[in-house]
Amino acid sequence: MIQAADDEIVFYTNPMSRGRIARWMLEEVGQPYRTVVLDYGTTMKAPDYLAINPMGKVPAITHRGVTVTEGAAVCAYLADAFPEAGLAPALDDPRRGTYYRWLFFAAGPVEASVSAKALGLLAPADKAGMVGYGTYENVVDALEAAVSGDGPWILGDRFSAADVYVGSQIGWGLQFKTLPEREAFKAYAGRLFQREASIRASGLDDALIAAANAGS
């Protein structure tokens, strides 16, 4: 891998992965970045990448000598690293709590419960208190409440990094039928995926998939 300058954003991804979340966030931030595409089972597990992320998974970014992994963490980091993009409330803004709440709700209970349901591994009713998400049904209801406020976004009339992450989870949930097709989810996803940054990000990743398919 090419050595990166400290101020360069290097984005490690695969277009058929959660790296699509980080790509969208990068496009919302609007800063230049270099993309390194990794393949499952080969370069993603190679020693040079394991030195960056010992999990051997994507996405990851490096910036200013720091490595950030996990989609929600990448979104939160980029929002704070580039405040001029306006993708996170200021520290003294009361909405900062709501921003953190739903960003990490999607990264925790939503991700865990949706994955467990898809794999048939949901906790039995008498053990629901032992898992962080409780029940899948409660998670879905809470998620619906998050996107059913007075404005179009999680923070009302202000778009934020929380929408990138929550919206990605909802988008995939609708696409792969792991979330119910509630009207609030469909309306929210419809608004999100009309954003120019979302369209650009999808176009870049879809082009990588097409090129890989053509090459194979």
Side-chain angles (χ1 to χ4, degrees):
M1 296 181 186
I2 302 170
Q3 185 69 31
D6 280 352
D7 61 348
E8 180 185 30
I9 303 171
V10 184
F11 169 45
Y12 300 90
T13 191
N14 181 288
M16 297 180 68
S17 75
R18 290 169 175 81
R20 294 180 78 102
I21 302 173
R23 169 85 77 182
W24 178 11
M25 184 64 189
L26 285 161
E27 290 297 319
E28 291 283 357
V29 165
Q31 296 292 322
Y33 62 92
R34 174 163 59 89
T35 302
V36 178
V37 178
L38 301 172
D39 294 322
Y40 292 102
T42 56
T43 50
M44 209 177 290
K45 303 299 183 183
D48 53 354
Y49 184 63
L50 291 177
I52 294 168
N53 184 2
M55 290 289 288
K57 300 179 74 173
V58 293
I61 64 168
T62 57
H63 180 234
R64 298 173 183 164
V66 173
T67 297
V68 186
T69 66
E70 315 312 317
V74 170
C75 289
Y77 173 85
L78 289 171
D80 287 343
F82 301 100
E84 62 273 21
L87 293 168
L91 289 174
D92 60 353
D93 187 329
R95 292 177 295 180
R96 185 83 173 190
T98 302
Y99 164 78
Y100 279 141
R101 175 188 180 185
W102 295 114
L103 175 61
F104 293 107
F105 178 78
V110 173
E111 174 84 17
S113 64
V114 167
S115 296
K117 186 175 189 297
L119 295 170
L121 296 173
L122 285 170
D126 63 333
K127 298 291 192 299
M130 298 179 65
V131 291
Y133 58 81
T135 70
Y136 171 82
E137 291 76 18
N138 285 348
V139 168
V140 172
D141 288 345
L143 184 63
E144 182 178 22
V147 300
S148 301
D150 293 335
W153 312 121
I154 295 287
L155 300 179
D157 60 356
R158 178 172 179 174
F159 179 85
S160 72
D163 293 296
V164 173
Y165 195 83
V166 173
S168 295
Q169 294 286 352
I170 289 176
W172 284 335
L174 294 174
Q175 180 181 355
F176 295 110
K177 311 300 183 186
T178 55
L179 285 174
E181 292 191 353
R182 297 187 179 180
E183 289 304 315
F185 293 157
K186 292 191 290 184
Y188 179 63
R191 293 191 294 272
L192 281 168
F193 300 134
Q194 291 175 10
R195 291 184 63 83
E196 291 183 5
S198 174
I199 294 169
R200 284 197 308 273
S202 292
L204 290 167
D205 280 328
D206 290 346
L208 288 173
I209 294 171
N213 290 339
S216 62

